[in-house]
């Protein structure tokens, strides 16, 4: 990429805009155009991260790293220069594209009985919840034509991961959940890989802005777990999309005083329990009260409710958490 193209990219994506898009907030203003806040690149306990908006540069007095928005993307996502450029291009172009794709999938959900039947099988039956999570369905076919009709070039769809190299829809027979800058697709078919994401970061904790002010937060692994717990009336629930939290998700959990209830899957091999205990130790080291919820063996929060568990029983599990 030429120097001119790099300069144009940095003009299109201002450093502060990118930082705020990844949950960074200034703690104070030093002078006009100079902001100080917690460093998003390491476990920062007092503001040491300086942002100069006039120069579009950052520097951390804690970890000693600094640079422009491209350098920040390299460090934050732990990728090399070419991958950082690709992530920045995706971040800049994905929001409107994903908005249109999400709208298409949401319409398809109510046109395909097999999709609604699958949701019912997974215990999701509340129209309000489906609307809240913007759940859709990818039947396979139709998305490419819809988006190109709206003016998006096929190459952009390929780069985003919505269309394969051969030009076919990438999501086929999948329940689709929009994320922050990504899409999660759960296959209805037992022969296809169950989980699919776009080739972009999975983002922060699911619906974090809605739950971050709660003094107690329930953390689950998957989106169907989130759906089941929220449908049962627990609105202080969030989801990490797996047991391996990225750096940003971990920082979100300790961005303020709270108690975190870790309701991970009770796998027969105890992998969920080990992951919960490991995360609880890390959170405790950062001054967060973390408690591990013991679900019945072989269950996750989704299956707990699908197989007859109710809100009162789940509340009892929360109260017994240690």
């Amino acid at each position: 990429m030429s120097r001119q193209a790099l300069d144009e990219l940095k003009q299109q994506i201002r450093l502060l805009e990118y930082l705020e898009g990844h949950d960074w907030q200034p703690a104070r203003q030093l002078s006009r155009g100079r902001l100080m806040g917690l460093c998003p690149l390491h476990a920062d306990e007092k503001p040491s991260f300086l942002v100069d908006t006039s120069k579009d540069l950052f520097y951390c007095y804690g970890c000693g790293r600094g640079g422009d928005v491209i350098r920040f993307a390299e460090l934050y996502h732990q990728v090399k220069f070419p991958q950082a450029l690709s992530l920045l291009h995706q971040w800049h172009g994905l929001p409107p594209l994903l908005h249109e794709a999400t709208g298409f999938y949401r319409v398809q959900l109510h046109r395909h009985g097999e999709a609604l039947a699958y949701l019912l099988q997974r215990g999701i039956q509340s129209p309000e919840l489906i609307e809240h999570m913007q759940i859709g369905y990818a039947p396979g076919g139709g998305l490419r034509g819809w988006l190109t009709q709206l003016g998006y070039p096929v190459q952009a769809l390929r780069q985003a991961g919505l269309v394969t190299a051969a030009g076919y829809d990438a999501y086929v027979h999948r329940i689709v959940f929009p994320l922050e800058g990504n899409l999660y697709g759960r296959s209805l078919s037992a022969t296809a890989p169950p989980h699919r994401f776009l080739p972009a970061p999975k983002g922060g904790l699911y619906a974090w802005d809605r739950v971050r002010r709660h003094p107690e937060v329930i953390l689950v692994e998957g989106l169907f777990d989130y759906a089941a717990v929220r449908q049962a009336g627990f609105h202080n629930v969030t989801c990490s999309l797996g047991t391996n939290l990225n750096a940003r998700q971990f920082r979100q959990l300790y961005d303020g005083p709270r108690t975190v209830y870790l309701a991970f899957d009770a796998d027969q091999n105890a992998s969920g329990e080990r992951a919960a205990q490991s995360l609880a130790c890390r959170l405790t080291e950062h001054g967060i009260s973390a408690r591990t919820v013991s679900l019945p063996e072989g269950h996750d929060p989704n299956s707990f409710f699908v197989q007859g568990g109710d809100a009162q029983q789940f509340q009892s599990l929360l109260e017994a958490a240690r």
Side-chain angles (χ1 to χ4, degrees):
M1 180 177 284
S2 68
R3 171 56 58 184
Q4 180 181 354
L6 290 175
D7 290 341
E8 288 177 355
L9 176 64
K10 287 187 285 187
Q11 288 175 2
Q12 292 169 351
I13 306 175
R14 311 301 293 186
L15 174 61
L16 182 60
E17 175 191 6
Y18 193 71
L19 289 169
E20 291 177 337
H22 288 77
D23 259 9
W24 185 81
Q25 295 179 344
R28 64 179 183 271
Q29 182 170 332
L30 300 181
S31 59
R32 187 173 182 179
R34 289 163 55 87
L35 307 171
M36 186 72 81
L38 294 175
C39 180
L41 302 176
H42 69 100
D44 202 5
E45 296 183 356
K46 61 179 182 179
S48 61
F49 188 80
L50 173 67
V51 178
D52 190 323
T53 59
S54 62
K55 297 179 181 178
D56 242 17
L57 296 173
F58 73 92
Y59 181 77
C60 177
Y61 291 94
C63 62
R65 292 177 287 187
D68 57 17
V69 68
I70 301 175
R71 180 59 178 155
F72 178 81
E74 286 182 289
L75 296 170
Y76 185 79
H77 298 294
Q78 299 180 348
V79 297
K80 296 186 181 299
F81 186 79
Q83 289 76 29
L85 292 180
S86 177
L87 290 173
L88 287 168
H89 279 295
Q90 288 181 15
W91 186 83
H92 180 63
L94 271 181
L97 180 57
L98 289 189
H99 177 76
E100 296 294 351
T102 297
F104 174 84
Y105 290 139
R106 292 176 71 185
V107 170
Q108 301 307 310
L109 178 69
H110 299 284
R111 293 180 176 176
H112 293 81
E114 69 272 19
L116 293 172
Y118 181 81
L119 289 182
L120 189 61
Q121 174 190 333
R122 298 297 298 265
I124 301 177
Q125 51 194 344
S126 164
E128 292 78 17
L129 178 68
I130 293 174
E131 178 69 21
H132 161 74
M133 298 184 73
Q134 300 182 53
I135 301 174
Y137 178 61
L143 179 67
R144 171 184 168 174
W146 171 256
L147 292 176
T148 53
Q149 183 180 335
L150 292 176
Y152 291 98
V154 174
Q155 183 60 27
L157 308 187
R158 289 197 183 100
Q159 289 178 348
L162 291 169
V163 169
T164 66
Y168 299 107
D169 287 7
Y171 286 68
V172 179
H173 302 311
R174 290 180 182 272
I175 298 294
V176 177
F177 298 84
L179 305 174
E180 174 195 15
N182 210 318
L183 290 174
Y184 168 70
R186 181 61 166 86
S187 178
L188 271 61
S189 171
T191 60
H195 313 291
R196 181 154 198 165
F197 294 90
L198 297 178
K202 67 179 180 180
L205 295 169
Y206 184 77
W208 183 243
D209 285 342
R210 296 189 182 100
V211 302
R212 65 185 304 174
R213 302 195 186 282
H214 286 274
E216 298 181 341
V217 170
I218 304 167
L219 177 66
V220 298
E221 289 184 39
L223 287 166
F224 283 100
D225 298 325
Y226 172 94
V229 174
R230 184 176 174 92
Q231 187 172 255
F234 298 89
H235 289 186
N236 59 329
V237 60
T238 186
C239 166
S240 54
L241 297 160
T243 58
N244 294 319
L245 276 67
N246 60 36
R248 181 182 170 205
Q249 291 175 326
F250 184 66
R251 287 193 300 270
Q252 286 174 322
L253 288 178
Y254 69 79
D255 67 3
R258 63 174 57 89
T259 299
V260 179
Y261 290 86
L262 304 172
F264 286 0
D265 301 357
D267 310 293
Q268 292 184 348
N269 62 6
S271 61
E273 180 182 358
R274 288 195 297 271
Q277 291 175 346
S278 175
L279 178 57
C281 289
R282 291 180 64 196
L283 290 172
T284 301
E285 291 173 356
H286 283 81
I288 296 298
S289 175
R291 299 180 183 177
T292 303
V293 179
S294 296
L295 290 161
E297 184 178 352
H299 280 282
D300 54 38
N302 179 247
S303 66
F304 173 83
F305 286 104
V306 168
Q307 298 191 19
D310 58 27
Q312 185 175 353
Q313 291 170 332
F314 191 76
Q315 179 63 41
S316 296
L317 293 179
L318 295 177
E319 293 171 358
R322 297 182 177 180

